[in-house]
Amino acid sequence: MRAAGKRRWLIVAVAVAGVLGGCRGANGAVVNALINTSLAMGSAAAQRAAGGCYAVCPVGTACDEATGYCLPLPCRDRCRSDERCVQLGREERCEALALPEGGLDVNPASPPAPSSDAPRKAPVPSP
């Protein structure tokens, strides 16, 4: 098994060397593309070997460690803590959680702040 792995790396190295040797035009654009691609592939392989995904998962997705791919979270994880994600056909939306007595969980509005020109308590006269 180790000999096959070494042989595979040797084939890749010879192929890359051949391409690098034959690319002289376009100010090294092909060479730069090959270098960047090999760096990206090496980074993805190292990240996957460490148990993560091939890439960094964007917001609203989570890493499936079994496959190495990013999978979307329900409602892309946009629901608040007092909501749940409900799927209706191909559509998803956040709905408020119902209380046990049948009411809806409503966040009360904060009281308005007193205005700065509101009258204050009358000063207590000094004796």
Side-chain angles (χ1 to χ4, degrees):
M1 188 69 178
R2 287 184 172 233
K6 286 182 181 178
R7 208 174 316 134
R8 197 174 317 143
W9 280 107
L10 182 62
I11 291 170
V12 170
V14 168
V16 168
V19 171
L20 291 176
C23 296
R24 299 272 187 247
N27 294 329
V30 175
V31 173
N32 290 337
L34 285 172
I35 291 171
N36 289 335
T37 302
S38 62
L39 287 173
M41 288 175 60
S43 173
Q47 198 166 341
R48 182 66 185 135
C53 278
Y54 291 107
V56 177
C57 294
V59 175
T61 62
C63 181
D64 181 10
E65 293 178 3
T67 62
Y69 295 109
C70 299
L71 300 177
L73 294 170
C75 291
R76 293 285 185 173
D77 205 27
R78 289 178 291 194
C79 297
R80 298 184 316 227
S81 61
D82 62 336
E83 295 177 329
R84 66 177 174 169
C85 183
V86 176
Q87 187 168 5
L88 303 168
R90 299 180 75 186
E91 210 175 286
E92 293 179 332
R93 69 175 189 204
C94 297
E95 286 186 353
L97 293 172
L99 294 174
E101 55 271 355
L104 291 177
D105 185 13
V106 178
N107 294 332
S110 59
S115 61
S116 61
D117 61 343
R120 298 181 178 213
K121 288 184 177 179
V124 178
S126 60

